[in-house]
Amino acid sequence: MSLPPLAVRPTDVLVVIDPQVDFCPGGALAVAGGDEIMPLVNEIARRFEHVVITQDWHPRDQISFASNHPGAEPFSVVEVAYGPQTLWPDHCVQGTPGAGLHPALDIPHAELILRKGYNPGVDSYSAFFENDKATATGLSGYLRQRGFERCVFVGLALDFCVRYSAQDAIAEGFEAVVIPEACRAIDLDGSAAATFAAFERHGVVLAAP
Ligand code: VGL
Ligand code: ZN
């Protein structure tokens, strides 16, 4: 798969999704090769004047934790008030080392660290909307007020938080580019392939670094 290399524009913002300890090998919800993306993410970030980082930031009673659904297994799906919700091992618990940004991440000029998933009753994959598809995080307003027109996404995990953030960026009127080489996927029940199909449907563009 040969992708066109990204040409950074002045009105671009790089959005680094959940580059956290718990999503890397040894972490509570480890994504295979998650740690491998950090040097490339750092290199890409140096080409952007504007960078936003998101941080998955859950309370212990978060509805997406299997531990809060007696008898349910991690990676199973339950029906909650806003629809189906995949259950995860406890991860990125507020204030714990696993919720921290990965130590190899080096983006001192990042302008915003946006926390999400802090609502106990609603998970949040997307950086724009919680999983009820209704509760805004405020990111659209922030990006719009600052005059950004295109969001470029890298990070973890490609098939959950990167996917829904990119789709919502389009829905919110931004252009959206994903750099797959600077992402890693969980790949649960074909979710990685489904992600690439969804990107095509929604108009999310893929690029090489
Ligand atoms: C994520 C599952 C649960 C992600 C976050 O960052 O993609 N996935 N929480
Ligand atoms: Zn999470």
Side-chain angles (χ1 to χ4, degrees), residues 23 29 56 58 64-65 88 91-92 123-124:
F23 295 124
L29 179 42
D56 213 37
H58 297 311
S64 74
F65 289 178
W88 306 104
H91 66 279
C92 298
D123 195 7
S124 190

Side-chain angles (χ1 to χ4, degrees), residues 13 18 25 75 85 89 111 113 118-119 130 146 161 168 192 200:
V13 59
D18 301 358
F75 308 106
Q85 171 66 54
E111 294 166 342
I113 298 175
Y118 45 71
N119 182 347
E130 295 184 352
R146 298 207 50 210
C161 291
D168 281 351
E200 198 153 309

